[in-house]
Amino acid sequence: MSLNEFLAALDALAAEAPDRIAAAADLEAWTEVRNALVGRQAGRLTEILAGLGALPKEDRREAGQRANAVKVGIEEALDTRRAALAAAAATSGPALDLSMPARARWIGAVHPVSLVIDDVIEIFRELGFSIAIGPEAEHAWYNFGALNFPADHPAMDMHDTLYLGDEQVLRTHTSPVQVRTMQRYRPPIRVLAPGNVYRRDFFDPSHAPMFSQIEGLVVDEGVSFADLKATLSHFARRFFGASTRTRFRPSYFPFTEPSAEMDVQCGVCGGGGCAVCKQSGWVEILGSGMVHPAVLEHAGIDSERYTGWAFGMGPARTAISRHGIPDIRILYDSDVRFLEQFAR
Amino acid sequence: MNISHEWLQRFAPHGRSAEQVRDLLTAHVATVEGFERLRADLAPFVVGRVVETQRIPETKLSFNKVDDGSGTLLDVVCGAPNVTVGATYPFARSGTRVPPSAKNPEGLLIEKRKIRGFTSNGMLCSAQELNLGADADGILELQTDAPPGTALLDVLPVGDVRLVVDVTPNRPELLSHLGVAREVAALTGVALQRPAELQALPAFGGTTSWATQELLVGGFTVRVTDAADAPRYGVAVIDGVRVGESPAWLKACVEAVGGRSINNVVDATNYMLHGFGQPMHAFDAATLGASTVLVRRARAGETLVTLDGVTRTLDPSMLVNADAHQAIGLAGVMGGKATEVSASTTRVLLEVAEFAPAVVRTTRRRAALSTDASYRFERGIDGGATAEMLALGAALIAAVGGGTVIAQGVVGTAAAARPAVRLRPSRVARLLGDAVPGAEITALLRGIGFAVADAGADALDVVPPTWRHDIAREVDLIEEVARLRGFDRLPDALQGARPGTVPDHPLFTAYRRVRDALVAEGLHELRPLPFTAGAGEDPATLVRVTNPLAEDEPFLRARVLDTLARRAEYNLNRMQGNVRVFEVGAVFRAQGRGLPREAQHVGALIMGARRPVHFSEPQPPAFDAWDAKSLAEVMARAAHPAAAITLVPGDGAVLWQIEADAVRIGRVERITLDAPVWAKPAFGVELLLGDVHNVPVAAPSTNVHDVAPVPATHREPVRYRALPTTPAAEFDLALLVPDAVAAGAVERVLREVSGAQLERLELFDEFRGAGVPEGTRSLAWRLTFRHPERTLRDKEIEGRRVQLLKSVEAQLGVRARTN
């Protein structure tokens, strides 16, 4: 066989292949065509290539290249045809009623209070805060004494306490985590402490004997009330919307001084006064203040060198107003029809 | 604390509206949480001017033309004798409701009607009709130039506003009009003054006597047993008092703060309490045995009938007033019934004291009786004002009761000046983030009664007034500066901050991993209450709340599943049978007398359909033990990602024990519920995330910064294994397994014998019935082998199969299924 004859055979194959491939009407016919064209046993290309060895040595290179080009072309055409046939096969038979529902699966849900905590954490994480955890059954010293509560003083009346023993309590706030954190880690400290706290409050539409709180604490040199104000206002704008206005009111917590409560402008009435904000135009969001020097000292930190600020908020209240939940007890009842509303 | 806007203005003539005062107090002093307009019922009334009047013959009535500012003169019939042309009166247009009265509890609705043939379209009102006084003889002539149509409340001084101030426990001086007025005066730059009604009181001619322990006052022996209980105890005797109705201004004050007028003597003491924050008590002097007044601890078992008519049994932790024979009052809390001022009282013994906060707190707690007086004593009153308050209170009683102060004296010593507190303006700047000049600091503090002296460079010596009990350190003064200037004035641009040293707590990251895994499995997170009845637990191992909210649930739970089971029952009661819930929360076990052992657990409970209904599966199967086992594996891996997780078969209700690195961390169990017949079986998984350490981090006032290492968070990374380049070989083994042999035992043998080339071992079938002997089951495994370097030959595969069958038969008596 000469090179010309070899090339002529290739050309002939290349010329007839597209029509034969297009004529394959189903996958079975396609397989036959493929075997006939490029099959290893009896395919036309295989037969032609068998003649390669008979060519003069100097022609083999060109012959091989041409043969490969033809092979690639045919295989591409075969692949394209098979894809088309497969697609056709899939939609043949009775057509799918595409309006029917997807195969169903249960969708889980995070509790609405956790959703609020998540959002708070996300915002403060951007500002470099990490997460601290402390015990719920706590020494009275961590819950009160270390936090500068005067013994047997009306300030204690603000915390109706569940006791486990004379000096053991179910913590009434997450603030004990402040003291534990400061004793354990050297400043700079930037932490959030989410957790459950307990009060001897009977269940009613707005009170629960256990609820979640989220605490924030910053301790470093040169930390000021202006930082507190800036950070918490930034938080409010990130949480409630960029145009959210805040105000700080004097307040009292034994463990902070100066102490302030932060309000945001009522989102329902926009500040004009309504039932939600009790006509004041403002809604209380959190308590805050500069860490009292006595608290720093109780935690073994030099109160002259270091200053700090802290805040605490109740995510359940925010969850209730955010989702329009009329009674706090719904959060605890755990009715699955309520929980399903938060599926995502 | 209820503050009357009108009364406040008599102390501080600030000239601001009630709304402005509210905003000032909230921004600088204490939050005003209530804002209540008094006499809102008079809001629809207007000023009306009589333009014409004529008598209606043979009646007492007149027919009038009234200008109500509307532009149309109205016809009004009036029964009063004093209608005068040109004068102005309170006018009710038709549609207005007159305030309720005894005769008409609904309040008369004024409507257009005919009287004796004359149209009447509105009403001119008397003081009595408007509840403004007893005068019913004629209509109320207004002393005003305001044009007709002006709202009546704008011209009559009765439209007071009650401001409800949320006073924090550190600021008891704000529990008075004087205290609040002091702040308002400072904030608005006006001078504090004594109200006009107190400026011309009958002066006491004598002097106030002082003694440290015992004193004779107007013939009464006054003695204080322990000065620590009552540092200053003042008594005045007022003679010739006529107990009766209070003057209108005094009544108005008492009512403006929400009180009820009782009589002139009692109202005067209440005026002093709400006006100046000084509790006072008036005794009928004639009832005091042996003309003696003592302050002493109660005797054990001593009884006293208090003013509220309750008989109280006392003990020595309580402080009382007593005469020579018996207790006559709970000191600082409430007086006694037997010595109460009554209509026949003519001589009053007035008590004006400062009792120690702690003893009043104990007394009112033991008596379970909180009063306006005890509330103030507990928080601390102004100990520097006892003599002044005594003189003022006695003079006020003399003025409104028509008597004479015959003697007054105080047992105790004058309050010592408070020590000076050093304040550095540089520290103010550092703590607030804003420099405040020393002169401004001085002016702010002086404005509210602090004495400020220059003490050199960057130093002020500040002496707090006797009414401030909350000023002991520099920071207390900085708070005063901050709030008086206003928090609003501080800058609030975010500043750079150094990163913290505290790593995330591992329990938080574990919670997030487990929660994400369980939500992905279709479960709902719960946050229920953790109290439990403790059924099925040894009470000695449970933690009991000393003062539980409910006696039927006095314990803290030891297991999360305990809580979840109750929540599942709650749902079953509401016909909800598909329950898939979980909680990550604290559990507690008692350990001796110390704090309980506390741990974070995750619990999950599943019950009902495995999947929602779909047309391809009209009746989805219910969750079974295998779902629970799968869930347990998901939970355990999420909770302990670095550990090897094993589920060890249990028995009874416990299906599996969960182990992490061979340490038991939890279990899978069948949950028994109080369930209706239609409910599907419930399964629970509970496992430990980690212990919560509650031992003290360090002794008080110390730290462990230098000894406690920050925990390592390094975890062994996954190592890449080369992807296979050789083909795998598969075959199935169907085995007849006697019931006594566990599938796990068969698998163990199969793995051992197969060695490293066994890539996968899958149990794909279990069958009992035809062709399978009684007492055995058919289990079928698919085995996948692969040699890392070459293709396995058919002969090798067959050889393995024979070897495996031989081994399971020899070791476990398990044979191949042949049919």
Side-chain angles (χ1 to χ4, degrees), chain A residues 47-113:
Chain A
E47 280 170 11
I48 294 168
L49 284 172
L52 197 61
L55 289 179
K57 237 183 190 160
E58 64 275 18
D59 291 339
R60 284 185 199 162
R61 183 180 171 84
E62 188 191 349
Q65 282 173 350
R66 289 284 297 277
N68 200 49
V70 170
K71 184 182 174 205
V72 168
I74 293 173
E75 283 178 344
E76 273 178 10
L78 280 167
D79 285 350
T80 307
R81 182 63 187 157
R82 191 176 65 158
L85 289 173
T91 54
S92 65
L96 287 182
D97 176 356
L98 300 176
S99 70
M100 292 168 82
R103 181 157 284 121
R105 48 167 304 168
W106 296 124
I107 312 288
V110 173
H111 193 276
V113 170

Side-chain angles (χ1 to χ4, degrees), chain A residues 30-41:
Chain A
W30 178 89
T31 307
E32 275 173 28
V33 171
R34 186 194 63 183
N35 289 342
L37 294 176
V38 293
R40 274 187 205 170
Q41 313 257 308

Side-chain angles (χ1 to χ4, degrees), chain B residues 724 726-733 749-762 781-788 790-793 796-804:
Chain B
T726 54
E730 284 181 3
F731 62 84
D732 294 349
L733 280 182
V749 173
L750 295 178
R751 284 185 193 282
E752 269 170 27
V753 175
S754 299
Q757 288 174 14
L758 178 66
E759 190 174 78
R760 260 201 318 276
L761 178 64
E762 295 159 303
W781 278 270
R782 177 159 300 147
L783 294 87
T784 306
F785 287 90
R786 193 192 303 269
H787 190 288
R790 61 180 175 78
T791 306
L792 287 166
R793 288 188 292 273
E796 285 178 293
I797 303 291
E798 187 51 33
R800 284 184 189 281
R801 182 187 172 82
V802 170
Q803 194 191 0
L804 287 168

